[in-house]
Amino acid sequence: MSFLLSEASFLHYFFFGVSGGQLDKLAHLCCKTSTLYSDRTYDYSVVYPGPNLNMIVGANGTGKSSIVCAICLGLAGKTAILGRGDKVGLYVKRGCHKGCIEIVLYKTGGNLVINREIHVENNQSLWMLNGRHCNQKTVEEEVKALRIQVSNLCQFLPQEKVGEFAKMSKIELLEATEKSVGPPEMYEYHCELKNFRNRERELENIVKEKASFLEKAKLRNERNKHDVNRYYEKKRHLDVIELLEKKKPWVEYETTRKDLEEVKKERDEAKRQLSSLKQAQTPMLRKIQQIENQLKPTEAQIKAKTAAIKEASLKCKQKQDQLDRKHKEIEDIKQTLRLKQMEEEDHQKRISNTRRTIEDLKAELAKVSDQPDVTPQINTVNMELRRIQETRAKLEGEKSDLRRERDNIFAESKRLEKKLNDMNNMMNAKEEKLRGRHRDTHAALQWLRKNRDLFGGNVHEPMMLVINVKDHRFAKYVENHISFHDLRAFVFQKKDDMERFMTEVRDKLNLKVNSISAPEESCSKRAPSRNIESIRRFGFFTYLREMFDAPDEVMSYLCQQYKVHDVPVGNEQTKAMIRTVLSGESLTVNLLCDQECESKLRDIDERMEALQKEIVALDRRDNELLAQKKKLSEQKGKKRQLEQKISTKQDRAKLTMEKVYLALETVGLTAEKTKLENDCKEGASELRTTDVGRKVQLHEQCKGLLKRAKTICRMQSDESLPEDLRNAFSKLPDTLDEIDAMLNEERSRAECFTGLSENVVEEYNRREQEIKHLEKELEDKTNALNAYRQNISEAKERWLNPLKQLVEQINSKFSDFFRTMQCAGEVDLHSENEEEYDKYGIRIRVKFHSSTQLHELTPYHQSGGERSVSTMLYLMALQELNRCPFRVVDEINQGMDPVNERRVFDIVVRTACKETTSQYFFITPKLLQNLQYADEMTILCVHNGPYMLPPNQWDEKAFIRRCLQRKARA
């Protein structure tokens, strides 16, 4: 048994046998192998395969599949691949304790010998590689290095798995094909792409979630921003109130301090006047002293008169002192009177000014009082403001949803736009595609353009060049619905022209082309079987024919053959209701879904523009209401302030009057007190004591006020007024009246801001930080996503372009095989979404009858024989690509009709016997008569029975000689 490597090198011997404990050599095998199964097969057997096609023929039960089992198990394949038993011990002949397999694989640099000894008792195996013991993993790695894949149905198709080939999904078939005939890195690139796409989905979801969360956070903060501004405005008023309350005790202290300074000045003035009086008496005292000095010489003489003089002097001095006191009292009284008069004048002026101020305030209050109470209006404005805020928040939410939807659709539109850009210069692209995929058709097209004058009727170039899709988004639906064989076919108005064309290009130029004769009676204007309005409720909006333009003959053929006039096109609604459509209407339709990106974008833009206009109108109304509320609040506060000012002024005028009356009364009492004090010697002393007491009282009052002011400002007793407070105080009023008025005004304004909490500001600031963090995260994730998309684009180019070429090569061979059988078959790369790499698959479509269309190969649509033919021809299409060392197919021709079996056999012989193809094992229990064989084939006949000779006694030459003698006698 011979097995061919990918380098077209092969082994020459394959020995295989099972006995009570010995399984001998197997050589020339470079692909998946199986072990032996059956209680009726060999004790010992040797198989010598050839390097090309090995036809293993034998009746059922003789042990053909045992060879397949030996190949599989000998190359470390799993028992599940064979489908005959789950334990390896079951593959040893019944009654034996162990079985042995030896496979020799050709390998550049030295053959690879694999031995496997299977023990029935514990289902364990002993492995040897080139005569050295090893484990199963080592064998698996060596087998993998030779691109042997016994688990791949495209390489190794046991009898029990033949039916499963048609059951393979498109995705599974693609992966099996990549592993079997693709370059070594193709499947790795595919897996890498799928992993990239999964990561891309994760990043897309993360980006969407973070963008959504960021949008919601911004929206929430935008809603709270107005309350935050109002909170800070209220805080500004409260800060002003706090400063006013801090400055007020300092003003009170300063006023008391000034009063203390006035007392000190008055005391100093009194001292000065007393000094002046003493100076005025000095000459008199000096004169008295002179007289006394003059009288000293005559003192004795006048001694008698001295007592009288002394008495007179004493009386004079007493009178003088009394006179001095009287003069001083008079001056003091005059001074006090002048001061009181001045105070009285000042008080009268202040009283007059206060009365005028009160009258003005009352007049202004009267004007304000005539206006109605604005509280209900303020409440109404507040309610409307809340309603506007709720409406605006709702509109912002809708706008945000639309923005996200628009971004998603825009991204999809960009993807489609990129795809459109890739299809620029459509006619040239189509022609280049035609040149690349079907050079014969392209050559025939060039010939036609030079020889149009040879034909009497209309001749149209291949359909793919003359069909003009009105919207590029619908191109894939048209291409999917119309067979590619027809898309590259020439269309003729007259049959004579078609026959002349085929004679020239097919017979003379030896070009393989397709041609079609249009129906004699035009079908291009056929009406659909049902009005589009009757199925519009399912989302259908037009028929396929309306999506493209084509010459009349081409359209006529498409209407007759593909019923394009009767294939409705639906949207996403159709996709959602597909079950209802299929069960309720019995429609035979293709689901052609259109994303309508541009239309959706326009609708969303219009809706967003309308929402923005509503939001602008709400903002304008919101500003108007805020201005109205501010005006009403000021109006309400102004009335309260006027009442407060009037009350304050009236209280001050009353206190001022009382102060004047008390001052006048004090003058009278002071005069009376002075008169009484003049009657006694202690009057001056008592007056001085009174002045000192007032000074002490004012001094203590100043100390108390200063302490209170520093306490309110949170200052230490020895600390001076800070510079920041001094600057802040300089911007505030300097009198108690103005401070009180401003306090009342600020308190009124602060009361207008209700329902505000510091928690709103904290939440706003916290969310602002969160928004910045989210924006940074979103930027990082977006950059990562873009990087991933770049990686995906590069990986996709590395994987998809070679894959398309590979599938096109398979399709070319597959189509040719079917064409030789007077049938039709196609292989294409199928994907519903180009970006979903785990959804790519290989689709096989076949047609065995001229009256039918191409249908996808499934376990249900075709017969068993048709599925076998399709499977075999697909494997033969892979055979010429020669990526795997060998292929094994077991009894695939079961169920084929004789005609197809003969055709398939011819194809297998022609393909598998080429020098460039890999080794092939074709196992069958029967063969038709008069088949065509090739010299490169190796026929292995398997017999079994109780009278069989042992292999070492078998003489092939003697057998052939006896056969020839028997034939000669006959």
Side-chain angles (χ1 to χ4, degrees), residues 226-262:
H226 178 65
D227 290 340
V228 172
N229 292 336
R230 293 178 67 239
Y231 173 83
Y232 281 122
E233 188 173 353
K234 178 181 179 180
K235 191 173 185 303
R236 284 194 293 272
H237 290 302
L238 295 177
D239 290 343
V240 173
I241 291 172
E242 183 180 0
L243 283 175
L244 288 170
E245 290 176 343
K246 287 182 177 180
K247 184 173 182 179
K248 184 175 180 180
W250 287 96
V251 174
E252 292 175 345
Y253 160 74
E254 188 65 22
T255 302
T256 306
R257 189 187 64 78
K258 289 180 179 179
D259 290 343
L260 179 60
E261 292 296 326
E262 289 296 328

Side-chain angles (χ1 to χ4, degrees), residues 747-809:
R747 284 169 179 157
S748 299
R749 290 186 177 181
E751 290 174 358
C752 295
F753 298 93
T754 59
L756 298 176
S757 170
E758 190 173 358
N759 294 334
V760 176
V761 180
E762 293 177 355
E763 178 68 16
Y764 179 85
N765 293 332
R766 183 190 63 77
R767 195 173 287 123
E768 278 292 311
Q769 294 299 321
E770 184 179 331
I771 287 172
K772 292 180 181 178
H773 181 67
L774 281 174
E775 288 176 340
K776 181 63 170 63
E777 284 189 347
L778 181 59
E779 181 182 1
D780 294 341
K781 294 300 181 182
T782 302
N783 292 337
L785 178 59
N786 293 334
Y788 249 91
R789 285 174 174 166
Q790 180 63 29
N791 292 338
I792 289 175
S793 178
E794 295 172 358
K796 178 181 179 181
E797 186 175 351
R798 292 196 303 266
W799 170 72
L800 190 56
N801 292 338
L803 177 61
K804 287 181 177 179
Q805 295 176 3
L806 178 65
V807 174
E808 182 56 38
Q809 290 175 349

Side-chain angles (χ1 to χ4, degrees), residues 700-766:
E700 292 297 327
Q701 187 176 355
C702 281
K703 287 175 63 178
L705 290 173
L706 180 60
K707 182 178 180 181
R708 178 171 174 267
K710 288 188 175 182
T711 301
I712 292 176
C713 293
R714 299 181 180 87
M715 295 168 54
Q716 300 295 328
S717 59
D718 58 346
E719 186 181 358
S720 60
L721 188 65
E723 187 66 24
D724 55 343
L725 278 180
R726 193 183 303 277
N727 293 334
F729 287 170
S730 65
K731 300 175 184 178
L732 299 176
D734 295 323
T735 65
L736 290 174
D737 292 342
E738 292 175 338
I739 287 176
D740 289 337
M742 191 172 182
L743 270 172
N744 292 329
E745 182 177 355
E746 292 296 327
R747 284 169 179 157
S748 299
R749 290 186 177 181
E751 290 174 358
C752 295
F753 298 93
T754 59
L756 298 176
S757 170
E758 190 173 358
N759 294 334
V760 176
V761 180
E762 293 177 355
E763 178 68 16
Y764 179 85
N765 293 332
R766 183 190 63 77

Side-chain angles (χ1 to χ4, degrees), residues 18-29:
V18 176
S19 64
Q22 182 175 358
L23 199 72
D24 213 339
K25 276 192 173 181
L26 170 72
H28 201 278
L29 181 63

Side-chain angles (χ1 to χ4, degrees), residues 36-42 57-67 84 93 159-160 890-891 894 923-926 942-946 948:
L36 189 63
Y37 170 80
S38 176
D39 61 339
R40 295 181 300 275
T41 48
Y42 323 102
V57 184
N60 291 330
T62 57
K64 299 184 305 299
S65 295
S66 296
I67 300 175
R84 295 188 171 215
K93 185 175 181 179
Q159 179 180 347
E160 284 72 16
D890 189 1
E891 297 193 15
Q894 296 298 310
I923 294 95
T924 178
K926 63 181 181 67
V942 180
H943 298 283
N944 196 9
M948 286 293 296

Side-chain angles (χ1 to χ4, degrees), residues 40-78:
R40 295 181 300 275
T41 48
Y42 323 102
D43 290 333
Y44 169 78
S45 181
V46 180
V47 179
Y48 299 93
N52 298 109
L53 175 60
N54 290 273
M55 189 72 66
I56 302 176
V57 184
N60 291 330
T62 57
K64 299 184 305 299
S65 295
S66 296
I67 300 175
V68 177
C69 296
I71 295 173
C72 178
L73 296 182
L75 295 178
K78 307 297 182 184

Side-chain angles (χ1 to χ4, degrees), residues 23 105 461 485 560 616 621 639 851 944 950:
L23 199 72
L105 303 175
E461 296 179 355
H485 280 286
Q560 182 192 56
V616 171
R621 180 57 179 162
K639 182 178 179 181
S851 59
N944 196 9

Side-chain angles (χ1 to χ4, degrees), residues 127-292:
W127 293 88
M128 293 182 67
L129 193 62
N130 290 334
R132 294 182 180 180
H133 288 282
C134 64
N135 54 28
Q136 183 171 337
K137 184 173 179 60
T138 303
V139 176
E140 290 174 349
E141 291 174 352
E142 289 288 345
V143 170
K144 182 179 179 181
L146 294 174
R147 297 182 59 81
I148 298 174
Q149 305 167 18
V150 291
S151 61
N152 190 336
L153 295 184
C154 288
Q155 284 193 19
F156 198 89
L157 193 60
Q159 179 180 347
E160 284 72 16
K161 299 292 183 177
V162 170
E164 293 189 10
F165 187 90
K167 297 179 182 178
M168 291 174 67
S169 67
K170 294 187 283 290
I171 299 172
E172 293 171 337
L173 183 58
L174 172 60
E175 293 183 355
T177 302
E178 287 177 324
K179 294 176 182 177
S180 177
V181 297
E185 67 277 3
M186 178 176 286
Y187 181 68
E188 296 176 4
Y189 287 159
H190 192 184
C191 295
E192 182 183 54
L193 264 178
K194 289 189 283 188
N195 293 332
F196 276 154
R197 178 53 183 155
N198 292 334
R199 179 57 180 160
E200 183 187 25
R201 286 196 197 97
E202 294 175 4
L203 287 174
E204 285 176 348
N205 292 333
I206 292 173
V207 169
K208 287 180 181 178
E209 290 174 2
K210 289 191 178 297
S212 175
F213 194 78
L214 177 61
E215 188 69 24
K216 291 177 181 178
K218 286 183 177 180
L219 182 59
R220 286 196 297 269
N221 254 22
E222 191 64 29
R223 294 171 184 168
N224 294 338
K225 189 174 182 180
H226 178 65
D227 290 340
V228 172
N229 292 336
R230 293 178 67 239
Y231 173 83
Y232 281 122
E233 188 173 353
K234 178 181 179 180
K235 191 173 185 303
R236 284 194 293 272
H237 290 302
L238 295 177
D239 290 343
V240 173
I241 291 172
E242 183 180 0
L243 283 175
L244 288 170
E245 290 176 343
K246 287 182 177 180
K247 184 173 182 179
K248 184 175 180 180
W250 287 96
V251 174
E252 292 175 345
Y253 160 74
E254 188 65 22
T255 302
T256 306
R257 189 187 64 78
K258 289 180 179 179
D259 290 343
L260 179 60
E261 292 296 326
E262 289 296 328
V263 170
K264 289 181 179 180
K265 288 181 181 180
E266 291 176 0
R267 186 191 64 178
D268 293 340
E269 181 65 24
K271 287 181 179 181
R272 188 186 61 78
Q273 292 178 1
L274 180 60
S275 176
S276 297
L277 289 174
K278 286 182 179 180
Q279 290 177 0
Q281 290 178 350
T282 300
M284 188 178 295
L285 293 174
R286 189 180 299 114
K287 186 176 181 180
I288 293 173
Q289 186 64 37
Q290 290 176 354
I291 294 173
E292 288 179 352

